[in-house]
Amino acid sequence: MKRIAVCVALILTTGAAFATELKLVAPGAPGSLVDKLKSASLTLAAPAREEPVTPQDLLAAARADYGRLESVLYAAGYYGGVIRIVVDGREAADIPPLAQISRIDRVALRVLAGPRFIFARTNVTPLAPGTELPDGFRFGAYAESGLIADAAKAGIDGWRDLGHAKAELAGQDVIANHKTNIVAADIRLNPGPRLRFGDLVVRKTGRVRPERLREIAGLPTGETFSPDEVDEAATRLRRTGTFRSVSVTEAETPAPDGTLDIEARVVDEKPRRIGFGAEISSLEGLGLSGFWLHRNLLGGAERLRLDASVGGIGGDTGGEDYNLSARFDRPATFTPDTGLYLEARAAEENEPNYRERSIEVGGGLTHIFSDSLTGEAGIAYRYSEVDDDLGARTLEHVLLPARLTWDTRDSQLDAHEGYYLDVEATPFVGVNGGSAGARLYGDARAYLGFGKDDRFVLAGRAQVGSVSGASAAEVPPGMLFYSGGAGTVRGQAYQSLAVDLGGGREIGGRSFMAFSGELRAPLRDALSLVAFYDVGFVGADSWGTENGGWHSGAGLGLRYDTGIGPIRLDVATPVSGGSSGAIEVYIGIGQAF
């Protein structure tokens, strides 16, 4: 018979230190079961404790292990197991809990698992239509105790999904026949009455007005109870960012009219927050940014955020860029999942091929379709003073921006799996007789983890853009496209790829494509290595690749994981379409994409 043992040496401290031998033996047990027994044992875990372990501590752990090891056996379907825990020749259960023991030299745990039981009967009654019980809860399957609990929970959840909020376990008979090694499980449920949602009762609130809490939660009062709606109400409150904690629970007792009130308790976050960021590139120079945020401006979970940034400090990109913006967001406007936003922005962009000073004001609505899909649409006015190779001019536009974002990434700063798609469509019309047109832009990203624990990651990105219906001279340069730099093609000079007008003159393109690929591999501890290749295109026409140019770059990077996101260092060089041998360095926070 196969014998599996685990031995651990332990130093016990009671004034003098001495070693205790710890040993677990499970004859004939499969290795997976032994691993679970070992993980469950408090006795074997004693050496890992930071504080000193006394003989009384070890005796208490040994006495507790009877129940813990038995639970492991039951969970695996072993109902006839025998457990012995011997402390210096005496059964631990026979030693008085308060016995004064000066030392323990040896603790031996012996587990005889016995035969594995199977289900002979599995009944859950009454069962709600459409309820799916666990796959393993069936005749002939191993009778793991966890499956019985899971089946009872699935039965209760099935009734709750149909509006029976107070469905409960009415009784259960679980009989293990040790002669035949079978288990019969009979579970009886009490569905209770079908209920409707009552009021959202605010039990604890802070600075947010109770009526606004109810609007944001969006509880469908009067409709049939649904646990998903309760969860969604809590999610709506959390995603405002106004609260440190949110609890949404059902009242203990339904009302006589068949309604069930829902109780909400919230704890406010600090109302204000500030943040700072920095990024540096050998060509683009230093970029600094900061923001100030108020989470509850008017007492209804409204958010006001002020952002300021300056870029191109000490760089070779035409000069410094300045940006100052403000955005006001009000959740639960018209519907619980629809928000109102107002925003204003003033900017000065001193780029290699143009200078633009602009003011933009506007507003619109946002909508959350699901946890992964969001959208917004609005109207804005933009005033621009432009000086580029087409001459100096003033432009005014009315914009109708719309945006849809689908995000299933497991992390925004360091994704290992998932997808990201951001699509923008901005129809516009020139004021005072200007042309009408549209700007389209899409950004798609995909991540694939592979290897042990998905340690390696393949990441890909595609960007596509187009401006149609208006000439380049009738569009602000900031709405046209360039390629080169950290956000498009690393290794190439910032905005180095544009539309060549001849005579050294260049402007932005009306079509754009960029593709990036990365292989991310761990090195040691918090360090990882990244190899990447980027390629970009800028064209004069709205669509097509005939009237334009391509360039590409490649390089290596290091990432240092800080726990909240990696610090990024990339070193890149042109591959085609640039100055051969040039080296660009980029430092920032978070992955490149």
Side-chain angles (χ1 to χ4, degrees), residues 124-125 148 151-153 156 166-173 186-191:
V124 180
T125 56
I148 302 173
K153 182 179 184 302
I156 292 173
K166 295 304 179 180
E168 61 183 358
L169 181 67
Q172 59 180 336
D173 293 315
D186 292 289
I187 299 171
R188 298 182 302 279
L189 303 177
N190 176 18

Side-chain angles (χ1 to χ4, degrees), residues 31 141 474 490:
E474 297 174 302
R490 288 162 287 184

Side-chain angles (χ1 to χ4, degrees), residues 12-70:
L12 299 181
T13 303
T14 59
F18 54 93
T20 297
E21 179 187 359
L22 305 180
K23 187 176 185 180
L24 185 148
V25 178
S32 59
L33 179 60
V34 174
D35 290 341
K36 293 176 182 177
L37 291 167
K38 180 176 65 174
S39 298
S41 171
L42 294 177
T43 305
L44 297 183
R49 292 173 56 175
E50 295 182 359
E51 67 276 10
V53 180
T54 67
Q56 283 70 31
D57 293 333
L58 192 58
L59 177 61
R63 292 174 62 89
D65 273 350
Y66 287 105
R68 296 176 66 88
L69 298 180
E70 184 180 61

Side-chain angles (χ1 to χ4, degrees), residues 51-130:
E51 67 276 10
V53 180
T54 67
Q56 283 70 31
D57 293 333
L58 192 58
L59 177 61
R63 292 174 62 89
D65 273 350
Y66 287 105
R68 296 176 66 88
L69 298 180
E70 184 180 61
S71 295
V72 171
L73 294 178
Y74 284 4
Y78 297 90
Y79 293 88
V82 177
I83 300 170
R84 291 201 63 198
I85 303 176
V86 180
V87 178
D88 285 341
R90 300 172 62 188
E91 190 70 34
D94 297 334
I95 302 175
L98 300 181
Q100 296 300 311
I101 301 175
S102 60
R103 61 181 290 163
I104 295 177
D105 293 322
R106 188 173 187 268
V107 180
L109 299 87
R110 181 179 177 86
V111 180
L112 298 177
R116 200 173 188 185
F117 286 52
I118 62 172
F119 284 120
R121 186 168 67 252
T122 54
N123 290 328
V124 180
T125 56
L127 201 61

Side-chain angles (χ1 to χ4, degrees), residues 414-435:
D414 189 14
H416 284 66
E417 62 180 22
Y419 300 92
Y420 174 86
L421 177 62
D422 186 39
V423 179
E424 300 176 22
T426 308
F428 59 83
V429 59
V431 179
N432 298 325
S435 298

Side-chain angles (χ1 to χ4, degrees), residues 513-538:
M513 290 184 289
F515 305 95
S516 299
E518 288 192 351
L519 173 61
R520 303 169 185 172
L523 291 177
R524 55 177 299 177
D525 298 329
L527 285 176
S528 59
L529 178 68
V530 174
F532 57 86
Y533 180 82
D534 303 333
V535 59
F537 167 84
V538 172

Side-chain angles (χ1 to χ4, degrees), residues 215-260:
E215 292 176 6
I216 295 168
L219 192 74
T221 298
E223 296 184 9
T224 301
F225 171 87
S226 168
D228 290 340
E229 289 289 353
V230 177
D231 294 340
E232 185 62 29
T235 298
R236 292 186 182 112
L237 290 170
R238 291 189 185 101
R239 70 189 177 205
T240 64
T242 305
F243 309 109
R244 181 178 304 171
S245 67
V246 173
S247 173
V248 179
T249 57
E250 304 157 23
E252 290 290 333
T253 306
D257 62 355
T259 61
L260 181 68

